[in-house]
Amino acid sequence: MPAQCANMSDNWNPAQYEKFKAQRAKPFFDLLSLIHAASFGTAVDLGCGTGELTRVLFDTLRPDHLLGVDTSPEMLAKSDAFRTGGLTFSQQDIASYQAEAPLDLLFSNAALHWLPDHASLFPRLMSYVAGGGQLAIQMPYNFDHPSHVVAQRTALDLFPHAFNADHPLSGTLKLETYAEMLFKHGFAEQVCRVEVYAHPMQSGEDVVEWTKGSLLTAYQQRLSADEFRIFLAEYRRALLAEIGTGPYFYAFKRILLWGRKS
């Protein structure tokens, strides 16, 4: 992965991301189902994207106020369609987000894996949750899959000047580490699990299209337009050589975390 991926605003393409809209939405609904019914005052959705699923979150839980936060102006450009009384959106770096008041719910779906130093980030986010409040976080955990490994290998081979070989594939930690952090910071009631999502693809080429909408934006951000075209061509060649061009079963792992603070 690129040495820095905290600011992912430059290359997000909502149309590309939503090519697999239904598949990407399933983990959101699984995460939402973990949240216990409660009277929510203030809530935040970190990495809200276009705001479409944030609106679902709002309509389901009915908090007094829900703030959707995202770094990408391209994604947030679509959020006006989902605004309503009590639901607002803000463009800011989710890495430096600070709650203005204790939160009844801190929610994040497929966003925090982009950020480094979870050992410091997660305790800070947990500290924003009020007593009795809940935290619900979902993160991709698939960085040992060929779709991700080939991307890093290709980037390091072609453009070593732009990428750091010592940088980890992901900011995510071991699953048990998140459970320990939750307990340490007052979330004795918790769920920590890895879920494997099954995505049957018509061809290996569809896996390339999937990563173009998410993972590869991190690489595109650090390359010129010409360099990225070279990178993408080699990535496609190398990945298809490994997974094939025919129908492909894309098994995608994700971490789901939920906790309620004592």
Side-chain angles (χ1 to χ4, degrees):
M1 286 290 289
Q4 297 293 333
C5 56
N7 185 341
M8 294 302 303
S9 65
D10 292 347
N11 298 110
W12 280 106
N13 182 331
Q16 182 70 36
Y17 183 83
E18 291 184 348
K19 281 186 176 181
F20 301 94
K21 185 175 181 178
Q23 296 95 323
R24 295 190 194 277
K26 179 63 166 60
F28 165 88
F29 288 100
D30 289 346
L31 186 65
L32 179 59
S33 71
L34 294 177
I35 299 172
H36 291 208
S39 177
F40 295 101
T42 302
V44 68
D45 179 6
L46 297 179
C48 63
T50 65
E52 182 174 0
L53 292 178
T54 310
R55 178 61 183 267
V56 175
L57 182 69
F58 180 82
D59 289 343
T60 302
L61 301 181
R62 306 305 303 178
D64 293 337
H65 181 246
L66 172 58
L67 173 65
V69 177
D70 203 276
T71 308
S72 170
E74 295 86 357
M75 287 290 196
L76 284 174
K78 302 183 73 173
S79 67
D80 283 345
F82 306 109
R83 294 177 190 269
T84 188
L87 173 59
T88 58
F89 296 94
S90 174
Q91 183 191 341
Q92 55 182 288
D93 188 349
I94 63 173
S96 56
Y97 166 80
Q98 293 186 328
E100 296 180 356
L103 300 170
D104 295 310
L105 174 67
L106 188 150
F107 185 92
S108 183
N109 180 61
L112 297 182
H113 61 294
W114 291 117
L115 305 183
D117 194 13
H118 282 198
S120 298
L121 173 68
F122 271 65
R124 177 167 61 81
L125 295 179
M126 291 172 188
S127 73
Y128 298 150
V129 179
Q134 299 180 55
L135 172 148
I137 293 171
Q138 183 270 119
M139 297 179 292
Y141 198 52
N142 219 39
F143 293 93
D144 58 351
H145 189 277
S147 59
H148 292 60
V149 174
V150 169
Q152 187 190 45
R153 185 173 69 228
T154 300
L156 291 173
D157 287 347
L158 292 179
F159 304 106
H161 66 280
F163 298 92
N164 181 356
D166 296 326
H167 191 73
L169 281 168
S170 169
T172 50
L173 306 172
K174 292 181 179 179
L175 182 64
E176 57 268 31
T177 301
Y178 294 109
E180 292 163 358
M181 286 196 292
L182 283 166
F183 184 81
K184 181 178 178 181
H185 292 87
F187 295 84
E189 190 178 359
Q190 60 174 258
V191 173
C192 296
R193 76 175 193 239
V194 172
E195 188 86 11
V196 179
Y197 288 87
H199 301 306
M201 299 293 191
Q202 292 184 357
S203 71
E205 182 68 36
D206 283 342
V207 179
V208 178
E209 291 300 303
W210 177 289
T211 58
K212 280 171 61 179
S214 53
L215 172 73
L216 299 191
T217 59
Y219 294 90
Q220 186 176 8
Q221 188 181 39
R222 296 185 67 83
L223 297 172
S224 70
D226 286 341
E227 288 174 333
F228 185 69
R229 280 192 289 271
I230 294 169
F231 165 84
L232 183 59
E234 177 57 20
Y235 170 76
R236 176 182 283 109
R237 185 205 64 77
L239 181 61
L240 295 181
E242 188 158 338
I243 69 173
T245 58
Y248 184 75
F249 180 80
Y250 193 20
F252 200 106
K253 299 188 296 296
R254 296 177 183 270
I255 288 177
L256 286 87
L257 305 173
W258 171 85
R260 179 156 55 187
K261 186 176 279 190
S262 303

